[in-house]
């Protein structure tokens, strides 16, 4: 690319177009570190997203939730809805802990044909398939259970003959269920965490399940396998769909703690087979803070699959310095896959609502000042040696660095100086290998307590929490050898979703 590549950024005038504090209209969403473009519950603890589904014009986000406190416990399903995947409205708890049974991670499907018989006269209705968790003197038990809702997810009834799938195991969880229209059946991927396996089941009615096959151990097996998701992924630019199997690993992920790997391959209706093509095994996120992501069920026709995860890591999730809530979700991202000379890779494109203010042209290195949240869409013209990227300064001694290291062929986020250190495992530099033949583009979304980076056409996703001392950010584009940096791009302000 042209070394005189131009940069298009904000004009000075637009710097004065500030963002109104979120609490101007929405009390309760303006505490320190409160995410402005990511979902977080108004109060209390959350972990994994659950039951992501589109129904009657609403996207539903259920989530692991403790209605009684800001630490893990009393697991229930919290609930929020959105009409655009951006703005969320939190609703009362959907499925509470009951009679000693906690409600662990699972799915929601729309039973259009009333195959379950649970919809009665209300077809189509919503059916949740979740892991029930019990712990008593005899030990722990995890099995799969149903609940249903006849009023668009507002109230839920547990199925009277639960559980529907029980192997009498202490670890058997996180059913991911979806419709196989072609064969008029339901399919489930569910984890055997300690054996590093995903089991596949089929059912005509969500109640009786027949085991089809197992996948694993495979890939990385350093920790428990959790939160599997099997989904069909379209090509980014034409070509056949592939199947992706995503599975959480905790602990033992490459960046430490919890993380997620994916396998691209094929599913013949019974068995998932991982491809051996280069790139078919990777990490859905190379940062530390994206876990137990799942995809939406029943999206409107033509929409690419949408994945959304818990923006956190089990290493320090209970230590985050936020109140009165703890835990937040990643941005939703649309999935496709890319295939080029270097191989195949999962692609993620975050869904945001960028509001263009203005742009300017810069030919030298520059510095801009913004308040979070904002989005940068940049394209770097890499020098073959050294590091090219940007630093986000919130104070002279507090910064987060996001860059491509051409010498090491690494993309990274360095949060060692980003602010509050939270726990010993927190201040790290997370890295991902980059493919020299792919463009070095970067989409970066900076919120009050996170940076989410999507590099190389979204084939590298890197999500990291940060707890900076201020919302005010000086953005400095740099090259390690100094001098001008060839970069072009746009900067966008993002409006708080809580207004
Ligand atoms: C993963 C996980 C799941 C489980 C849930 C319990 O973060 O451990 O396997 O269903 O959290 O809250």
């Amino acid at each position: 690319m042209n070394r005189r590549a131009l940069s298009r950024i904000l004009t000075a005038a637009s710097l004065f177009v500030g963002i109104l504090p979120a609490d101007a209209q929405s009390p309760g969403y303006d505490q320190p570190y409160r995410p402005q473009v990511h979902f977080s519950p108004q109060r209390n603890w959350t972990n994994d997203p659950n039951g992501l589904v589109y129904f009657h014009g609403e996207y539903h986000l259920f989530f692991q939730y403790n209605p009684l406190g800001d630490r893990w416990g009393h697991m229930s399903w919290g609930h929020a809805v959105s009409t655009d995947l951006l703005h969320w409205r939190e609703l009362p708890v959907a499925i509470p802990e009951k009679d000693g049974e906690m409600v662990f991670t699972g799915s929601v499907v729309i039973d259009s044909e009333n195959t379950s018989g649970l919809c009665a006269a209300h077809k189509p209705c919503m059916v949740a398939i979740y892991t029930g968790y019990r712990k008593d003197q005899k030990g722990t038990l995890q099995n799969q259970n149903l609940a249903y809702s006849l009023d668009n997810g507002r109230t839920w009834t547990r199925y009277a003959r639960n559980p529907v799938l029980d192997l009498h195991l202490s670890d058997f969880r996180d059913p991911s269920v979806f419709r196989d229209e072609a064969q008029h059946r339901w399919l489930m991927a569910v984890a055997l965490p300690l054996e590093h396996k995903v089991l596949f089941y089929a059912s005509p009615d969500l109640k009786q399940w027949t085991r089809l096959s197992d996948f694993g151990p495979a890939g990385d097996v350093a920790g428990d396998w959790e939160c599997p998701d099997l989904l069909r992924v379209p090509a980014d630019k034409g070509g056949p769909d592939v199947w992706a199997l995503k599975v959480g690993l905790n602990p033992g992920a490459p960046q430490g703690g919890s993380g997620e790997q994916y396998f691209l391959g094929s599913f013949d209706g019974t068995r998932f087979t991982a491809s051996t093509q280069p790139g078919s095994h990777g990490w859905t996120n190379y940062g530390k803070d994206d876990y137990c992501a799942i995809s939406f069920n029943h999206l409107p026709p033509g929409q690419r699959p949408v994945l959304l995860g818990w923006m956190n890591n089990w290493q320090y999730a209970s230590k985050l310095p936020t109140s009165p809530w703890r835990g937040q979700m990643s941005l939703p991202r649309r999935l496709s896959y890319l295939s080029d000379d270097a191989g195949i890779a999962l692609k993620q494109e975050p869904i945001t609502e960028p509001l263009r203010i203005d742009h300017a042209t810069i030919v030298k290195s520059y510095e801009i000042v913004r308040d979070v949240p904002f989005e940068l869409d940049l394209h770097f013209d890499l020098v073959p040696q050294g590091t090219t990227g940007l630093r986000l300064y919130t104070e002279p001694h507090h910064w987060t660095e996001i860059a491509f290291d051409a010498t090491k062929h690494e993309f990274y986020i360095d949060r060692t100086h980003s602010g509050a250190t939270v726990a010993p495992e927190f201040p790290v530099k997370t890295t991902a290998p980059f493919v020299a033949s792919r463009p070095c583009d970067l989409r970066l979304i900076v919120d009050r307590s996170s940076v989410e980076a999507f590099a190389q056409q979204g084939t590298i996703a890197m999500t990291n929490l940060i707890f900076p001392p201020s919302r005010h950010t000086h953005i400095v584009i740099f090259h390690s050898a100094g001098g001008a940096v060839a970069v072009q791009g746009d900067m966008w302000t993002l409006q708080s979703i809580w207004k």
Side-chain angles (χ1 to χ4, degrees):
M1 195 180 77
N2 180 352
R3 289 297 311 274
R4 285 191 312 111
L6 302 180
S7 305
R8 298 150 63 215
I9 56 156
L10 292 174
T11 59
S14 63
L15 295 175
F16 296 103
V17 184
I19 299 163
L20 284 172
D23 67 349
Q25 285 92 0
S26 301
Y29 289 100
D30 193 35
Q31 301 88 352
Y33 309 131
R34 174 68 91 171
Q36 297 301 299
V37 295
H38 293 83
F39 173 79
S40 57
Q42 194 151 33
R43 52 180 58 250
N44 294 333
W45 166 275
T46 185
N47 54 289
D48 319 351
N50 297 155
L52 303 183
V53 68
Y54 180 77
F55 187 46
H56 286 164
E58 287 179 325
Y59 296 91
H60 293 260
L61 163 61
F62 299 91
F63 47 90
Q64 286 288 281
Y65 187 60
N66 180 357
L68 302 181
D70 63 2
R71 290 184 167 249
W72 188 90
H74 302 287
M75 298 321 294
S76 304
W77 278 23
H79 190 195
V81 289
S82 169
T83 53
D84 59 6
L85 286 169
L86 297 163
H87 302 84
W88 295 98
R89 186 160 57 93
E90 192 175 345
L91 298 174
V93 167
I95 314 180
E97 173 190 41
K98 195 178 169 203
D99 302 330
E101 181 200 66
M102 291 200 209
V103 191
F104 273 18
T105 283
S107 311
V108 168
V109 294
I110 306 308
D111 191 1
S112 302
E113 303 303 324
N114 193 22
T115 63
S116 64
L118 298 171
C119 307
H122 293 83
K123 117 181 166 183
C125 75
M126 299 172 89
V127 181
I129 307 93
Y130 65 88
T131 298
Y133 168 88
R134 291 175 180 280
K135 189 171 186 167
D136 56 26
Q137 300 90 323
K138 285 184 269 166
T140 57
L141 178 64
Q142 297 184 352
N143 50 29
Q144 317 319 325
N145 299 268
L146 303 182
Y148 56 98
S149 169
L150 309 181
D151 58 0
N152 297 322
R154 272 46 179 188
T155 59
W156 291 81
T157 307
R158 283 168 156 90
Y159 173 47
R161 302 178 67 178
N162 277 334
V164 292
L165 180 56
D166 192 357
L167 302 183
H168 309 285
L169 291 173
S170 61
D171 288 86
F172 174 45
R173 59 182 176 270
D174 306 339
S176 164
V177 177
F178 62 98
R179 184 74 182 155
D180 175 4
E181 281 301 349
Q183 299 201 48
H184 308 289
R185 59 181 185 164
W186 303 98
L187 288 171
M188 178 197 292
V190 57
L192 276 188
L194 309 182
E195 295 177 35
H196 316 297
K197 279 188 180 177
V198 177
L199 310 187
F200 296 103
Y201 286 86
S203 170
D205 58 3
L206 297 166
K207 293 171 173 166
Q208 295 169 55
W209 292 93
T210 307
R211 190 152 160 181
L212 297 175
S213 64
D214 304 356
F215 177 82
D220 217 306
V221 294
D224 289 5
W225 278 25
E226 305 179 314
C227 305
D229 196 17
L230 176 70
L231 63 154
R232 197 188 256 279
V233 180
D236 64 341
K237 295 191 185 91
D241 292 354
V242 300
W243 286 86
L245 178 64
K246 186 238 75 175
V247 59
L249 182 76
N250 179 42
Q255 316 286 4
S258 43
E260 302 208 274
Q261 58 186 328
Y262 69 80
F263 302 89
L264 299 178
S266 56
F267 183 70
D268 64 6
T270 301
R271 187 168 294 281
F272 175 80
T273 309
S275 161
T276 51
Q277 232 187 310
S280 45
H281 175 235
W283 294 90
T284 55
N285 203 291
Y286 289 85
K288 283 200 78 147
D289 300 307
D290 188 8
Y291 194 57
C292 279
I294 53 170
S295 57
F296 276 83
N297 268 327
H298 306 283
L299 285 179
Q303 277 204 33
R304 289 180 169 178
V306 176
L307 194 74
L308 183 149
W310 177 43
M311 190 149 64
N312 218 329
N313 191 308
W314 277 115
Q315 276 181 333
Y316 41 69
S318 64
K319 298 181 185 154
L320 302 189
T322 60
S323 179
W325 86 101
R326 195 176 272 128
Q328 58 180 298
M329 298 301 157
S330 75
L331 286 171
R333 41 274 242 144
R334 288 204 193 280
L335 299 184
S336 59
Y337 77 93
L338 160 157
S339 175
D340 61 14
D341 292 344
I344 185 169
L346 191 68
K347 252 180 98 156
Q348 303 183 48
E349 294 171 76
I351 299 172
T352 58
E353 187 182 41
L355 189 77
R356 183 171 209 146
I357 300 181
D358 207 343
H359 62 265
T361 300
I362 295 285
V363 287
K364 282 204 153 191
S365 63
Y366 55 82
E367 195 169 318
I368 20 184
V369 183
R370 295 297 300 147
D371 271 354
V372 292
F374 59 83
E375 172 169 348
L376 282 165
D377 295 352
L378 302 174
H379 185 107
F380 292 95
D381 189 10
L382 283 203
V383 190
Q385 291 295 319
T387 303
T388 313
L390 57 148
R391 263 194 189 191
L392 311 176
Y393 283 94
T394 45
E395 274 183 0
H397 301 294
H398 286 293
W399 45 264
T400 305
E401 190 168 293
I402 301 108
F404 293 90
D405 183 333
T407 314
K408 291 189 185 159
H409 281 97
E410 265 174 15
F411 172 75
Y412 69 83
I413 297 179
D414 182 347
R415 69 170 180 196
T416 52
H417 294 78
S418 57
T421 47
V422 180
E425 303 88 350
F426 192 87
V428 290
K429 175 176 162 181
T430 58
T431 61
F434 79 74
V435 176
S437 58
R438 289 183 187 149
C440 287
D441 52 64
L442 171 66
R443 259 183 92 182
L444 188 72
I445 294 94
V446 184
D447 203 345
R448 285 193 192 165
S449 48
S450 63
V451 283
E452 290 213 77
F454 300 84
Q456 295 215 287
Q457 300 171 290
T459 58
I460 300 171
M462 195 177 277
T463 297
N464 282 325
L465 291 170
I466 52 170
F467 296 98
S470 129
R471 296 168 187 173
H472 212 53
T473 312
H474 286 244
I475 304 162
V476 179
I477 309 269
F478 73 92
H479 181 267
S480 48
V485 175
V487 58
Q488 58 183 348
D490 294 291
M491 173 161 205
W492 318 82
T493 194
L494 297 173
Q495 256 172 355
S496 171
I497 62 172
W498 302 119
K499 285 188 180 165

